[in-house]
Amino acid sequence: MSLKPNTLGRVATALLFLWITVATALAAEADYDALFREANDLMGAGDLPAAVEVLKKVPAPKAGEEGDAFVRSRMQIAKLHFAAKEMDEALAATREVLALYPDNSEAKNFLASVEREQKPRYVSFLQDCLKFLPVLLKGAVMTLLLVVCTMLISPLGGLLVALGRISTFKPLSILCWFIIWLFRGTPLLLQLFFIYYGLPSLGITLKPITAAVIGLGLNYSAYLGEIIRGAIQSIDHGQTEAAKALGMTYGQTMRRVVIPQTYKRLMPPIGNEFIALIKDTALVSTIAMVELMRAADQMFNTYFNVTALVLAAVIYLIFTTFFTFLFERIEHRAGIYERR
Amino acid sequence: MSDAKALIELEHITKRFKSLTAVNGVNLAVHPGEKLVIIGPSGSGKSTLLRSINFLEEIDDGVIRFEGNEVGYVRRHGKLHLDRQQVVCQLRAEIGMVFQHFHLFPHMTVLGNVMEGPLTVQRKSADEAREIALAMLAKVGLTDKKDVYPATLSGGQKQRVAIARAIAMRPKLMLFDEPTSALDPELVGEVFDTIHALADEGMTMIIVTHHMGFARELADRVIFMEGGNFLAEGTPQEFFAEGMNNERIRSFLNRIL
Ligand SMILES: Nc1ncnc2c1ncn2[C@@H]1O[C@H](COP(=O)(O)OP(=O)(O)O)[C@@H](O)[C@H]1O
Ligand SMILES: [Mg+2]
C-alpha cells in the first residue's frame, strides 16, 4: 500500500477538507488525540503514506466500545487514497467501517462516489442517460404534440390565408395581407410573449399549451400562406381555364384542379418550414411550457451535466431526420403523375 | 333581329382590353348542326370571340342568346356584368371547349380527365361517369391509354383526350381554338379525323384554325376575321373563290397555304 509522490498535487484539495474534519473532531476523541495529531503533522509535512500508517493504528472498537475515532480514522484513510486515485485502497478502508456500521451514511455516500469513479466513463454516461431520459422524453412528447398540432393547423390556416389573399373581395384580401405582414414581420418569441403575457391584460388568459399552439399555429399559417399563395399562382392559368370551360365553379376548380397540382411544389418549402418548426418549438419554453428544451435546461441546471443537453440534441435530430424523410417520401408520391 | 332557330346568337359583341378593341361589335348566329370555321391573322380577335361565347371573357357590350334566351349577363348602371357563378357555370357546361395547348389535368389519369366533368360538374356517380368516359375514349380511339397520365401522351393523343373530356359533358356546342396549331404536322391528321367524326354525328361547332383542310372539308360556313371585325363570310366554295378578289384575304391565304 503506497501513496505515490506524483499524486501529491491531486491530494491538495482533499487536505483542506481533512484539516477541517480533524480540527472539529479532536475534542471528542481524547484517547486517540495523539494519533490524529501525529497524522495531521505528517500530512502537513506531505508524508501521506506515513499519515495513513499512523491512522491505521486506531483500532477497531471492541464490543460495547464507542467507535467514533475508528470511523473517523478509516474515513480519513479512504479519502486520502481517494484523492490519490487509489480506489481499491479507498474502498477497503470504507468497507472496514461499513462492516461494523452498515448504516453509516458518510461511508455509504463515499462508497457510492468511489464506485462511480471506478466505473468506465460509458457506464456513468449510460446511468446519466437513464436518469435524464424519462424527463427528457416527457418533454419530447410535448414537443412532438406541439409540432403535430402546428402541422395540422398551419396548412389549413395557410390555405385560408392564401385563398383570402388572392380573393377578388378586397376587404378579405387586405385582411389576409395584414395577417401575413404582421406574423411574418415580428419575432415568434414576441408573438408568444404577447399571447401568453400580453393578452391577460386584455382579459384573455390562456393556458401555456393553448397560447403555444395559437402562437405557433398563427405564425406558421402566415408563412405557409405565402408559400401556398405562390404555389397556387404558379399553376398554369390554362388549368383554371379548362376547369371553368367544363363548368366548374371557383371552389371546384381550386379543390379538384389547382390545389392538387400544388402539392408537389409545396412539399419542399413546407418541409423546410416544418423542420424549422421542430426547432422553433423550443421558444415556447419561455412561456412556462415544459417541452424538450425546457426539460433539458432543467436537468442541466440541476445536475450541471452536459449529458442532458447532448441527449436533447439527439432527440431533436431524431425528430428532424424522421420528418425530413417523411416529407421526401410525400413529395415523391405527390409528383407521381409527372413521370413519363 | 333575333333568329329563333339559332342555337347561339351573338349581337353586337364588343370586347376591349384597355384601349384595344379585340372584338368590335360582331354579329353571328350559329344553327344546330352547323359547322363554322373562323380564320384570320394572329391577333384578329378569334380567340377572344370564342372565349366570349364561353363566358371566359366578360364582354363590354352586346347580347348573347342561347337557344333563344338572352343569357349570362346582368346590366348594372349601364354596364354589363357576368351573371351569378351558378348561372355562368351551367351555361359553360353546355358548351365544350378545346384549347390549342390541351390543358389536360396532369394530376389525373386519362380516364380521370374525361370523367371529371360528369363527376364534378354534373355530379354523376363514379360508375356512371366512368361509363361515359370509357365511351368517349373509345370514340377518340384511346381506350388503351385510359390509365396513364397525360405526361406520357403525344400531342395528338393529348388533344384527342381533351376532345373526349369536352364531349363527355354532352355539350350542345363545341368550340375549338386552333386545336392543331401546337401539334407536329404528322399528328394533325388524327385530331382532324376525330373532329371530323364528331362533325359527322351532327355536333354544332365553331372552329378557329389555320388548317385550310378544315375549312374546305368540314365547314358549312367560313368567316374571315381581322381587327376584331368579320371581313368576309360564305360557304367554303364562295369563300375560296371570292376571297381571292379581296386583297387582304388573298394575302392571308397566300401566307397560310
Ligand atoms: N387578356 C388580354 N389582355 C390584353 N390584351 C389581350 C388579352 N387577350 C387578347 N388580347 C389582345 O386582343 C387581341 C386579340 O387577341 P386574340 O383574340 O387572342 O387574337 P387571335 O386569337 O385572333 O390571335 C390581340 O391584340 C391581343 O393582344
Ligand atoms: Mg388565338
Side-chain angles (χ1 to χ4, degrees), chain A residues 236-252 255-258 260-261 336-340, chain B residues 51 54 56 85 89 92-93 95 97 99 103-108 116-117 119-121 123 149 151-152 165-166 169:
Chain A
D236 177 15
H237 191 61
Q239 291 292 307
T240 312
E241 299 262 287
K244 278 180 169 179
L246 274 184
M248 286 193 199
T249 61
Y250 179 78
Q252 289 169 334
R255 188 166 51 79
R256 299 285 303 177
V257 175
V258 176
Q261 290 184 55
I336 220 150
Y337 57 82
E338 284 177 7
R339 283 190 284 283
R340 285 155 198 278
Chain B
R51 291 161 54 77
N54 208 8
L56 288 175
Q85 172 174 260
C89 286
R92 287 193 188 126
I95 303 171
M97 184 145 185
F99 302 87
H103 300 325
L104 292 180
F105 305 135
H107 58 303
M108 299 179 189
E116 190 56 22
L119 197 64
T120 300
V121 179
R123 300 189 178 285
Y149 286 99
T152 63
R165 176 176 68 179
M169 294 289 289

Side-chain angles (χ1 to χ4, degrees), chain A residues 197-226:
Chain A
Y197 298 115
L199 286 185
S201 67
L202 304 175
I204 304 167
T205 307
L206 299 169
K207 283 196 284 187
I209 177 130
T210 319
V213 169
I214 291 176
L216 287 170
L218 281 172
N219 188 266
Y220 275 85
S221 292
Y223 271 96
L224 297 199
E226 274 304 84

